Amino acid sequence: MPRQPDDTVPKVDDRAVRAAYLDAATAAPLHPVAREALLAALADGWADPVRLYAAGRRAQQLAEAARAAFAEALAVRPDEISLWPSGTAAAQAAVLGGRAGRARQGDTLVHSAIEHSAVLHAARTGKAVEVPVDRLGRIDLDAWDRAVSAPGTALASLISASHEVGTLQPVAAAAGYCAEAGVPLFVDAAQSIGHAEVPAGWSLLSASAHKWGGPPGVGVLVVRKGVRWISPFPQDDLYRPGAPGAVDLPAVVAAAASLRAVLGEASSVAARQTALVARIRERVAATVPDVEVVGDPDRRLPHLVTFSCLYVDGEALLHALDRRGFAVSSGSSCTASTLRPSHVLEAMGVLSHGNVRVSLHRDTTAEEVDRFLAVLPGLVAEIRAEAGM
Amino acid sequence: MTLDCLGQKCPLPVIRLAQNIGKVAVGEVIRVLADDPAARNDIPAWCRMKGQEYLGSPEPAAFEVRRVS
């Protein structure tokens, strides 16, 4: 029997409870092109691409087309690309394989103090030298030059833009120092691809599909021709560089298709996001007392902004925002699984408690941002009042 | 003045510091005892934001601040 609408249940005004997802830097919502490509590839690309029957050949066709699309989008050769189960796996493969490939020249990894924790964990498996950043989160280029020029340097690692505060790094200058020293540069571009140009000059680059609106579970690693990379994992029978085992082909197809779409609309999306982030930077500083908006105000990612509120428990603020329908993230220690403050905020010497990172996706509206800006000062004031401030 | 904030999670040590800075005379020093890992970062950051002078950490889990205004 068909269900009858129950008119005794009051209609919920979904405008009032509609959530605003402001954590795209953790995982962007699936781009419509990714959704479409994923469904098509699930129907058509489920077979093992190495098999010789028709379904296998079809899967192989899809895999090759995806690789070609990545190559075109990243302006590299298809055989320079390998696919990994995540951006984390791709970044760790870059560090471990890049360092192993240079064993004859040295064993030390030079990295910025604000790399993603995946890179820092890989760095700690061997010798590493950390290069500090300034208050805005920009690496100290003189210290970088000294570190990469030192004897025994195998590889240098620089995040293209901070995933926590949005500051763009001077990749071109850093790459110049690496070239002078003959040291390959790995750039973790997970936060930049699809949002901001990554300057040339790197030897290895990694990216993560779910940061640009592709599905989760696809990491991309580019190793330029002539760069020696030795797999940190046992290889399979195919002797091709890459993650052991089969990739999630439908997800890879969706990742490639969405990257092409995202790059096509990137400049208009970035222009809109840059203006929204400028509004957040300006309004938060004007309406929340004792707040520090962190990161470079000008040379920054278009879609990401971070601020810290004095006397505020970051976890309490996250929960208060969540109750109002806003999803954001935080680098405060109370919100971290490690119970330590964010190493990025520490390296910059900025306030780590009461920290909020807001990151926008392509469909974030001015209305959502304004609703966030309207509720934030009151929530901060309530938490401070409870703490006796 | 010494504020014992051992065992307290951030931002509590910074809140205690802010609540007590006015109780010492300008030029005097407050010592904060805090073992939360964020204190080492957040006490100097508070000094910078509020225009007070951070004197350093003379021993682990101890931080000294001079009231300048």
Side-chain angles (χ1 to χ4, degrees), chain A residues 135 290-292 308 310-313 333 339-341 345-346 349-353 387-389, chain B residues 9-12 14-16 18-19 36-46 48-50:
Chain A
R135 183 68 41 76
D290 288 324
V291 75
E292 184 169 40
S308 296
L310 260 182
Y311 316 131
V312 168
D313 179 328
S333 53
L339 290 178
R340 290 197 57 83
L345 301 176
E346 271 188 326
V350 298
L351 193 70
S352 75
H353 70 246
M389 288 307 295
Chain B
K9 295 271 169 251
C10 261
L12 285 176
V14 177
I15 290 174
R16 292 279 305 284
Q19 287 168 334
D36 183 272
R40 187 168 54 89
N41 182 71
D42 286 5
I43 290 175
W46 177 86
R48 185 170 47 74
M49 289 172 75
K50 303 306 281 185

Side-chain angles (χ1 to χ4, degrees), chain A residues 197-233:
Chain A
E197 291 281 328
V198 179
W202 45 266
S203 297
L204 304 99
L205 175 138
S206 70
S208 173
H210 76 150
K211 310 290 190 196
W212 72 64
V218 180
V220 180
L221 172 62
V222 184
V223 181
R224 298 315 304 264
K225 277 286 162 230
V227 176
R228 231 167 97 83
W229 181 88
I230 294 177
S231 175
F233 303 107

Side-chain angles (χ1 to χ4, degrees), chain A residues 153-165:
Chain A
T153 301
L155 178 71
S157 174
L158 180 61
I159 195 164
S160 57
S162 169
H163 58 301
E164 289 199 30
V165 303

Side-chain angles (χ1 to χ4, degrees), chain A residues 44-260:
Chain A
D44 211 17
W46 48 269
D48 188 330
V50 303
R51 295 297 176 231
L52 301 179
Y53 36 77
R57 285 197 303 275
R58 176 64 188 137
Q60 180 66 26
Q61 254 177 357
L62 288 173
E64 276 168 17
R67 186 176 290 270
F70 280 128
E72 194 194 334
L74 300 171
V76 298
R77 292 163 44 145
D79 61 355
E80 293 175 325
I81 287 171
S82 59
L83 296 161
W84 296 80
S86 65
T88 291
Q92 295 192 332
V95 170
L96 298 176
R99 183 154 61 184
R102 290 260 303 165
R104 274 179 284 180
Q105 289 81 16
D107 57 358
T108 303
L109 175 78
V110 170
H111 63 84
S112 84
I114 60 160
E115 296 302 289
H116 190 277
S117 60
V119 168
L120 296 183
H121 284 297
R124 287 183 199 125
T125 61
K127 275 198 223 166
V129 171
E130 186 171 286
V131 175
V133 297
D134 66 10
R135 183 68 41 76
L136 295 179
R138 302 172 299 197
I139 52 158
D140 177 340
L141 276 172
D142 292 331
W144 177 269
D145 180 20
R146 282 192 301 277
V148 298
S149 310
T153 301
L155 178 71
S157 174
L158 180 61
I159 195 164
S160 57
S162 169
H163 58 301
E164 289 199 30
V165 303
T167 299
L168 297 178
Q169 294 302 318
V171 172
Y177 290 121
C178 287
E180 271 175 45
V183 169
L185 172 66
F186 161 54
V187 169
D188 166 8
Q191 289 301 345
S192 293
I193 297 295
H195 297 283
E197 291 281 328
V198 179
W202 45 266
S203 297
L204 304 99
L205 175 138
S206 70
S208 173
H210 76 150
K211 310 290 190 196
W212 72 64
V218 180
V220 180
L221 172 62
V222 184
V223 181
R224 298 315 304 264
K225 277 286 162 230
V227 176
R228 231 167 97 83
W229 181 88
I230 294 177
S231 175
F233 303 107
Q235 286 303 280
D236 58 19
D237 293 341
L238 302 171
Y239 300 104
R240 280 195 305 235
V247 296
D248 181 346
L249 181 58
V252 164
V253 168
S258 59
L259 179 56
R260 190 159 22 194

Side-chain angles (χ1 to χ4, degrees), chain B residues 6-62:
Chain B
L6 295 171
Q8 295 180 2
K9 295 271 169 251
C10 261
L12 285 176
V14 177
I15 290 174
R16 292 279 305 284
L17 175 58
Q19 287 168 334
N20 287 280
I21 190 82
K23 295 178 186 167
V24 302
V26 170
E28 281 184 20
V29 173
I30 289 193
R31 174 180 269 234
V32 184
L33 305 180
D35 51 8
D36 183 272
R40 187 168 54 89
N41 182 71
D42 286 5
I43 290 175
W46 177 86
C47 292
R48 185 170 47 74
M49 289 172 75
K50 303 306 281 185
Q52 306 296 344
E53 186 185 358
Y54 177 64
L55 297 176
S57 176
E59 55 191 90

